[in-house]
Amino acid sequence: MTEEVGMTVSSRSAGVVAAVVSFISFGTSGAFVKPLLDAGWSPTAAVTARALLAGLVLLPFVVVSLRGRWHALVRARWAVVGMGVVGVAVTQVLYFAAIQRIPVATALLIEFLAPLMLVGYTWAVSRRTPAPVVLAGSVLAVGGLVLVIGPGAITAVDPVGVAAAFGAAIGCSVYFVIAARPNEGLPPVALAGAGLLLAVPVLAVVGATGLLPYTATFGDLTLMGTTTAWWVPLGVVAVVGTALAYASGITASGILGSRLASFIALLEVVSAAVFAWLLLGQGLSPVQLAGGALILAGIASVRAERQQVEPVVPVLAATK
């Protein structure tokens, strides 16, 4: 029993490490995508390119992880479809549709309400009130999110933009739920790679229909005060901010569960602020740092609830 509990703690620690890698990786995206957008890339074109390149980067790892078990992809086809269409394409499209109508800070604040949606969903389905530490953690995390993004995010804005942002939040929630499931034994890297590649044609169709602007330029651009080729920031975003971020994020959700993984993912906004400060020279205020501390406190509260419950599982398993 002691060994089983030890393995549970070790797995949880590995999940936390994977979650940290994920939110740091996702946090690099903004700082490296911004030069592309400034150079004339539309957000939808940038997302399509990063998804395609990231999927191709992960493809060799997908092949190795499957070890010829291609039937695993067939068995988990709905998870792959859900990840690619909803977790990547729909979430991104709705987010960019939102920021065309409402401030970016407002869209981010709404999208990152996904952890609260997951708490509410579990509450509704199980009809069991979440533990006080979870409710307290939710309040702390959202308060910290407001401070990091900026209190000005809470404003009266276009209802269509708000609806699109809430749609992105739902898509983000679906991403965590799909990632947390066993998915017929499909390895996390295979789910990430297949989902990203599946998202590409969906995003391309959105661009072709003209629902969102779809433009790209291929000249030199400015990155960290120097002139560089367009593919340099795109490569960083594809490899680090997409391939590594999705693969580690799905791994974390599979170990920690959708709720805790989604709360840890809130630190992405802190990571993005830090990279914007280091790479783009954008200031990091004491209020933002305080917000990051509140998010950490919220995560600690949610994790404390899991630590109270999960050690019981090996005991129950042993009695069957």
Side-chain angles (χ1 to χ4, degrees):
M1 175 179 169
T2 302
E3 291 181 359
E4 291 177 345
V5 173
M7 290 178 63
T8 301
V9 173
S10 177
S11 297
R12 188 185 296 117
S13 298
V16 171
V17 170
V20 170
V21 171
S22 181
F23 78 69
I24 290 177
S25 300
F26 271 125
T28 64
S29 298
F32 284 95
V33 165
K34 190 176 187 303
L36 290 169
L37 301 181
D38 291 343
W41 283 68
S42 67
T44 310
V47 171
T48 304
R50 67 184 281 195
L52 174 60
L53 291 177
L56 293 176
V57 167
L58 289 178
L59 187 56
F61 299 96
V62 172
V63 173
V64 172
S65 68
L66 289 175
R67 297 185 181 87
R69 297 179 292 110
W70 298 103
H71 58 276
L73 275 175
V74 177
R75 288 204 310 265
R77 58 188 179 279
W78 295 117
V80 174
V81 171
M83 180 61 66
V85 175
V86 181
V88 180
V90 170
T91 301
Q92 295 288 343
V93 168
L94 287 177
Y95 171 72
F96 287 125
I99 63 176
Q100 286 185 327
R101 292 176 170 268
I102 63 177
V104 173
T106 306
L108 278 175
L109 179 61
I110 295 173
E111 182 180 4
F112 278 96
L113 292 178
L116 291 188
M117 289 184 174
L118 290 173
V119 170
Y121 174 77
T122 303
W123 189 349
V125 171
S126 66
R127 297 183 180 179
R128 294 177 57 185
T129 304
V133 288
V134 173
L135 296 176
S138 300
V139 172
L140 289 171
V142 172
L145 187 62
V146 171
L147 292 181
V148 174
I149 295 176
I154 306 177
T155 57
V157 288
D158 186 292
V160 176
V162 170
F166 270 108
I170 294 173
C172 188
S173 300
V174 171
Y175 158 77
F176 284 111
V177 170
I178 293 174
R181 292 180 175 177
N183 292 317
E184 304 293 340
L186 188 67
V189 69
L191 178 58
L196 286 166
L197 289 175
L198 182 61
V200 173
V202 178
L203 291 165
V205 168
V206 171
T209 56
L211 292 176
L212 291 172
Y214 204 83
T215 59
T217 59
F218 304 100
D220 291 341
L221 46 74
T222 301
L223 176 66
M224 292 184 287
T226 61
T227 301
T228 187
W230 61 271
W231 52 264
V232 173
L234 180 60
V236 174
V237 169
V239 176
V240 179
T242 309
L244 178 60
Y246 272 98
S248 56
I250 291 173
T251 300
S253 294
I255 297 173
L256 301 175
S258 58
R259 185 171 65 191
L260 180 55
S262 66
F263 271 88
I264 295 178
L266 290 176
L267 288 172
E268 179 189 333
V269 296
V270 181
S271 175
V274 171
F275 280 110
W277 170 51
L278 293 174
L279 301 178
L280 303 178
Q282 297 178 2
L284 190 63
S285 70
V287 173
Q288 288 179 303
L289 295 175
L294 283 180
I295 293 175
L296 285 173
I299 294 169
S301 295
V302 174
R303 192 176 184 215
E305 188 268 345
R306 291 181 63 85
Q307 289 175 331
Q308 292 171 4
V309 174
E310 288 187 353
V312 179
V313 174
V315 179
L316 295 177
T319 61
K320 293 183 178 179

